[in-house]
């Protein structure tokens, strides 16, 4: 625990490898009369089982006697321990392990470990594991399902209605993909078809991105309250997120522009050079652009919760994210990727059957998937849109919840945010911070 910033175990434990004779180990507090032996002989070097002097009290006096008993009678069992666990079973001679206090080297030597961390909400207030972060996101969705599903459903329905209308009224009429499956078409016709497909996908992606940002902003308020065990309504989440919503759009737009600029800078030299050398340079630049883009996106992946929860500006939110991710890039990367894989896999399992059903009900049937020139029509768009809405009910809460809990976890590790959270949740006696200081300020 000592190597985890922002967290320290209560009390103190013996150092690993400490020799018994180099310092005075704590004596049992229940010696008769409350006295301690004045002189202690040097410890026996034969082993930890023979550390105590022959002048020690008999075994029956290690626990407070409740009444007289025969000398040959076994001592009564100690009373149940509270808070720190019970005393380990006594070994030969009436001593429990190392001087009656368990094995040397930490909390686990018979005392049962430190007390569990406070858990006022969906996560314990301590550094989190991967499973605890994912479980916290799912627990938020399960515990506050009315608010979470209400927000996710509202945003997903609006997004899918806009996407279906655009695809049915505007994009499909201007998009002709027949040239992509016709080998007799010219290169210009194929390029025009590819451009139409990219335009279609880009517009849909832009609309979906707007919906994702809105859902993330609202669900960030819900998850932050869930950490404290405090419920929040959709109206309260909206009032909390609304002042920062435009900044959040600006933050996402800035990240997209940055990633695009990185890709152009990496690919442009090879495109200008041309020839075989230019193609090789373009390929290398493409790989480099992907690496740099992923590196930047993970570095700034906590900027969104920092902006929403700390009420920061865009520049300060980016700086906060870079500071929190520093030294933990691979961990944040792994958790983010794992959450995206899980959320999108579940959404795909839900959406694919709806897409197949919509295609089967369309005039072209399932063969429309293999024929680029076939239009699937309104039936397919509506049925597949229903599947997308149901899938969004899973992806929105998980991705937003993981981002917020990762932000909380990193601040607990680096800035002892658990003390502030415990006080905000009303946990009594969790920690006593230094007066006038606030972790993370």
């Amino acid at each position: 625990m000592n190597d985890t910033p922002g967290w320290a175990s209560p009390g103190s434990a013996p150092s690993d490898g400490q020799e018994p004779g180099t310092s005075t180990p704590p004596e049992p507090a229940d010696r008769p009369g409350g006295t301690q032996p004045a002189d202690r002989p040097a410890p026996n070097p034969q082993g930890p089982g023979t550390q105590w002097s022959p002048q020690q009290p008999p075994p029956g006096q290690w626990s407070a006697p409740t009444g007289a008993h025969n000398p040959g009678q076994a001592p009564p069992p100690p009373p149940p321990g509270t808070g720190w666990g019970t005393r380990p079973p006594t070994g030969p001679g009436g001593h429990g392990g190392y001087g009656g206090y368990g094995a040397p080297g930490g909390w686990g030597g018979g005392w049962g470990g430190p007390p569990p961390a406070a858990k006022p909400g969906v996560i314990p207030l301590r550094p989190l594991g991967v499973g605890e972060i994912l479980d916290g996101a799912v627990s938020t969705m399960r515990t506050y399902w009315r608010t979470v599903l209400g927000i996710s459903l509202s945003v997903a329905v609006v997004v899918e209605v806009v996407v279906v209308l655009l695809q049915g009224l505007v994009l499909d009429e201007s998009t002709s993909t027949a040239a992509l499956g016709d080998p007799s078409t010219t290169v210009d016709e194929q390029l025009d078809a590819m451009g139409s497909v990219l335009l279609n996908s880009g517009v849909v992606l832009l609309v979906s991105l707007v919906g994702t940002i809105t859902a993330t902003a609202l669900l960030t308020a819900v998850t932050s309250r869930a950490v404290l065990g405090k419920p929040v309504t959709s109206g309260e989440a909206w009032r909390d997120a609304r002042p920062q919503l435009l900044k959040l759009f600006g933050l996402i737009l800035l990240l997209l522009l940055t990633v695009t600029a990185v890709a152009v800078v990496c690919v442009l030299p090879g495109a200008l050079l041309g020839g075989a050398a230019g193609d090789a340079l373009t390929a290398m630049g493409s790989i480099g652009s992907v690496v740099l883009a992923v590196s930047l996106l993970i570095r700034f992946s906590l900027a969104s919760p920092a902006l929403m929860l700390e009420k920061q500006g865009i520049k300060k939110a980016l700086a906060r994210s870079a500071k929190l991710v520093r030294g933990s890039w691979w961990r944040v990367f792994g958790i983010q990727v794992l959450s995206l894989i899980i959320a999108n896999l579940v959404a795909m399992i839900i959406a694919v059957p709806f897409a197949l059903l919509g295609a089967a009900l369309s005039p072209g049937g399932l063969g429309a998937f293999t024929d680029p020139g076939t239009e699937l029509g309104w039936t397919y768009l509506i049925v597949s849109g229903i599947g997308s809405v149901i899938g969004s009910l899973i992806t929105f809460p998980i991705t937003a919840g993981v981002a917020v809990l990762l932000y909380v976890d990193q601040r607990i590790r680096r800035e002892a945010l658990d003390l502030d959270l415990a006080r905000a949740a009303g946990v009594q006696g969790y920690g006593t911070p230094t007066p006038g200081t606030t972790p993370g300020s």
Side-chain angles (χ1 to χ4, degrees):
M1 291 294 182
N2 292 333
D3 59 348
T4 309
W7 171 261
S9 301
S12 59
S15 302
D16 293 339
Q18 177 179 335
E19 292 296 330
T22 59
S23 64
T24 304
E27 296 290 347
D30 51 357
R31 286 183 178 275
T35 61
Q36 304 294 337
D39 297 319
R40 174 177 298 176
N44 192 325
Q46 296 178 357
T50 57
Q51 296 296 324
W52 292 98
S53 167
Q55 288 85 10
Q56 295 301 317
Q61 297 182 12
W62 273 98
S63 60
T66 57
H69 57 274
N70 297 328
Q73 181 180 352
T82 57
W84 292 94
T86 57
R87 179 175 296 176
T90 56
H95 309 305
Y98 185 74
Y101 287 88
W107 295 105
W111 284 98
K119 188 178 180 182
V122 294
I123 59 169
L125 300 184
R126 56 169 172 75
L128 304 174
V130 178
E132 290 172 323
I133 292 177
L134 296 175
D135 179 71
V138 175
S139 297
T140 301
M141 182 170 54
R142 184 175 61 248
T143 305
Y144 306 98
W145 63 272
R146 288 184 179 88
T147 303
V148 171
L149 294 184
I151 292 173
S152 302
L153 182 62
S154 301
V155 175
V157 168
V158 172
V159 169
E160 287 304 321
V161 167
V162 174
V163 168
V164 168
L165 291 177
L166 285 175
Q167 289 180 330
L169 298 176
V170 179
L171 298 179
D172 278 353
E173 294 183 359
S174 62
T175 302
S176 176
T177 58
L180 296 177
D182 188 358
S184 62
T185 57
T186 63
V187 175
D188 291 338
E189 292 175 340
Q190 291 186 355
L191 290 177
D192 291 340
M194 291 179 62
S196 299
V197 171
L198 291 177
L199 176 63
N200 190 341
S201 302
V203 172
V204 172
L205 179 62
L206 180 61
V207 175
S208 301
L209 181 62
V210 171
T212 302
I213 294 173
T214 305
T216 300
L218 298 175
L219 293 173
T220 295
V222 177
T223 306
S224 63
R225 301 285 186 89
V227 171
L228 304 176
K230 297 180 179 180
V232 58
T233 64
S234 300
E236 292 172 341
W238 169 250
R239 286 193 296 270
D240 187 65
R242 183 175 55 186
Q244 297 293 103
L245 196 57
L246 289 179
K247 292 182 181 180
L248 183 59
F249 277 101
L251 172 66
I252 301 300
L253 179 61
L254 178 60
L255 289 177
L256 291 177
L257 292 177
T258 302
V259 170
T260 303
V262 168
V264 171
V265 170
C266 291
V267 175
L268 187 60
L272 295 176
L273 181 61
D279 293 340
L281 187 59
T282 300
M284 295 176 60
S286 300
I287 296 175
S289 66
V290 171
V291 173
L292 290 176
V294 172
S295 176
L296 289 174
L297 289 177
I298 296 301
R299 183 180 183 185
F300 300 126
S301 61
L302 302 184
S304 172
L307 184 143
M308 298 302 300
L309 297 178
E310 299 181 18
K311 310 302 180 185
Q312 300 274 16
I314 295 176
K315 183 178 179 181
K316 290 185 177 180
L318 292 172
R320 287 287 289 147
S321 178
K323 177 182 177 182
L324 293 174
V325 174
R326 186 181 301 119
S328 302
W329 190 95
W330 284 107
R331 181 174 183 273
V332 174
F333 169 77
I335 295 176
Q336 293 275 30
V337 170
L338 180 61
S339 66
L340 288 176
I341 291 175
I342 294 175
N344 287 279
L345 183 61
V346 174
M348 186 182 300
I349 293 174
I350 296 173
V352 167
F354 281 88
L356 295 176
L357 177 62
L361 296 176
S362 299
L366 295 176
F369 284 113
T370 59
D371 186 1
T374 303
E375 294 184 3
L376 294 172
W378 285 100
T379 302
Y380 170 79
L381 294 176
I382 294 173
V383 175
S384 63
I386 294 174
S388 298
V389 168
I390 299 175
S392 298
L393 299 181
I394 305 297
T395 56
F396 284 165
I398 290 181
T399 53
V402 168
V404 174
L405 295 180
L406 258 176
Y407 163 83
V408 172
D409 173 59
Q410 290 300 111
R411 286 202 61 186
I412 288 176
R413 292 172 179 269
R414 296 176 180 272
E415 302 170 356
L417 181 65
D418 55 318
L419 300 179
D420 283 340
L421 294 176
R423 288 195 298 271
V427 179
Q428 300 296 327
Y430 184 79
T432 306
T434 303
T437 61
T438 301
S441 60

